[in-house]
Amino acid sequence: VYNHFYQPSNMFLIVAGDVGIKNVLDIINNNESLAKMKKHYHFQYQLSHESKKVKKEYVALNENILVPKVSYHFKFDLTEIDFIDYRLISLYYNAIFTILFGEASTFNLRVLENNLASFFYLNYSIYQNIYDFSLNAESDYADLFKDEIDNVIDTINISKEDFDRVKKVWFTHLIHSLDNPLAITESIVDDLLIYGKYDDERELIEKLNYEDLLKIIKKMDFNNRVFALMLPK
């Protein structure tokens, strides 16, 4: 498996930092281990089909744990939004969920003040044309935690000020990452694996506008969801 897949024709190389292109190419061309690798394997990829709909709306498990764990997932078909570039849709979704459930949200404040969870975190993922968002927590009050989430998505109200603030935060992170070659490299890798190409993140953020955000919110279907609960035995 290693010899078959871990070889030059099945790799991409990303170099970030204060380096010269010629120096990098010389290192690659003079690398003996790369030169010895076979470079003409035929690769055939078969993608698994991801269903647009969740298979179950509720899952409960009993496991060897001490504190109950909660995971609330929402699944969105990105092809349903055809008036915005595919690459931008996920950014709009990220902005929406950051505003609604991020560290600076009123939801976060209510959860902490009322001890509805000892900790929780957000997670985003994209596979094919499916966007998955989840809230994950350790909580003794799973139903109340779920109710708080449902209340938020039933009454979405995002101001232009909140949206512009998120964009400014993203710009700040982007500028800060320029001092970190590893962060730049990881960003490029993520784009290549998820979207098949690398886009300038600054240009993408600049294209985001409040009017399109409101249109996307109206088209979002929050009914395609699953609530998973893991309880102590």
Side-chain angles (χ1 to χ4, degrees), residues 43-110:
F43 297 98
Q44 184 175 0
Y45 297 96
Q46 182 174 343
L47 292 175
S48 61
H49 174 69
E50 177 65 25
S51 172
K52 294 181 180 180
K53 297 296 181 181
V54 298
K55 295 186 179 298
K56 294 182 179 181
E57 293 184 357
Y58 178 76
V59 178
L61 302 171
N62 294 100
E63 300 292 343
N64 187 26
I65 57 175
L66 296 177
V67 181
K69 300 180 184 298
V70 178
S71 188
Y72 202 5
H73 283 256
F74 297 87
K75 202 173 188 180
F76 301 93
D77 180 6
L78 298 181
T79 61
E80 293 180 352
I81 301 177
D82 55 5
F83 57 89
I84 296 175
D85 180 79
Y86 173 80
R87 181 67 175 86
L88 295 176
I89 299 174
S90 60
L91 289 179
Y92 279 112
Y93 275 49
N94 290 353
I96 291 168
F97 291 123
T98 297
I99 294 169
L100 296 180
F101 301 107
E103 292 182 3
S105 66
T106 54
F107 169 83
N108 185 298
L109 184 62
R110 285 199 301 271

Side-chain angles (χ1 to χ4, degrees), residues 130-160:
I130 300 298
Y131 179 98
D132 176 83
F133 166 72
S134 67
L135 285 141
N136 308 276
E138 288 188 351
S139 173
D140 290 314
Y141 308 99
D143 290 338
L144 294 177
F145 183 74
K146 178 180 180 297
D147 289 344
E148 283 290 339
I149 299 172
D150 290 339
N151 289 336
V152 171
I153 63 177
D154 287 342
T155 57
I156 295 179
N157 182 19
I158 295 178
S159 67
K160 188 175 185 303

Side-chain angles (χ1 to χ4, degrees), residues 103-180:
E103 292 182 3
S105 66
T106 54
F107 169 83
N108 185 298
L109 184 62
R110 285 199 301 271
V111 168
L112 297 178
E113 284 185 342
N114 295 291
N115 296 317
L116 298 183
S118 54
F119 88 96
F120 72 94
Y121 64 93
L122 319 182
N123 189 59
Y124 320 92
S125 62
I126 297 175
Y127 181 71
Q128 295 176 357
N129 293 318
I130 300 298
Y131 179 98
D132 176 83
F133 166 72
S134 67
L135 285 141
N136 308 276
E138 288 188 351
S139 173
D140 290 314
Y141 308 99
D143 290 338
L144 294 177
F145 183 74
K146 178 180 180 297
D147 289 344
E148 283 290 339
I149 299 172
D150 290 339
N151 289 336
V152 171
I153 63 177
D154 287 342
T155 57
I156 295 179
N157 182 19
I158 295 178
S159 67
K160 188 175 185 303
E161 290 74 18
D162 286 338
F163 180 59
D164 289 339
R165 188 179 301 113
V166 167
K167 289 174 61 177
K168 289 178 181 177
V169 170
W170 287 352
F171 276 126
T172 303
H173 288 322
L174 184 59
I175 294 171
H176 186 263
S177 71
L178 296 178
D179 285 331
N180 186 343

Side-chain angles (χ1 to χ4, degrees), residues 7-47:
Q7 42 95 3
S9 66
N10 197 42
M11 294 179 179
F12 52 81
L13 176 68
I14 298 169
V15 181
D18 186 16
V19 296
I21 295 177
K22 183 180 183 306
N23 292 338
V24 173
L25 292 177
D26 286 343
I27 292 172
I28 296 171
N29 292 327
N30 295 327
N31 187 290
E32 294 183 4
S33 61
L34 284 175
K36 292 177 181 178
M37 288 182 176
K38 294 182 180 179
K39 304 175 183 179
H40 303 289
Y41 284 114
H42 174 66
F43 297 98
Q44 184 175 0
Y45 297 96
Q46 182 174 343
L47 292 175

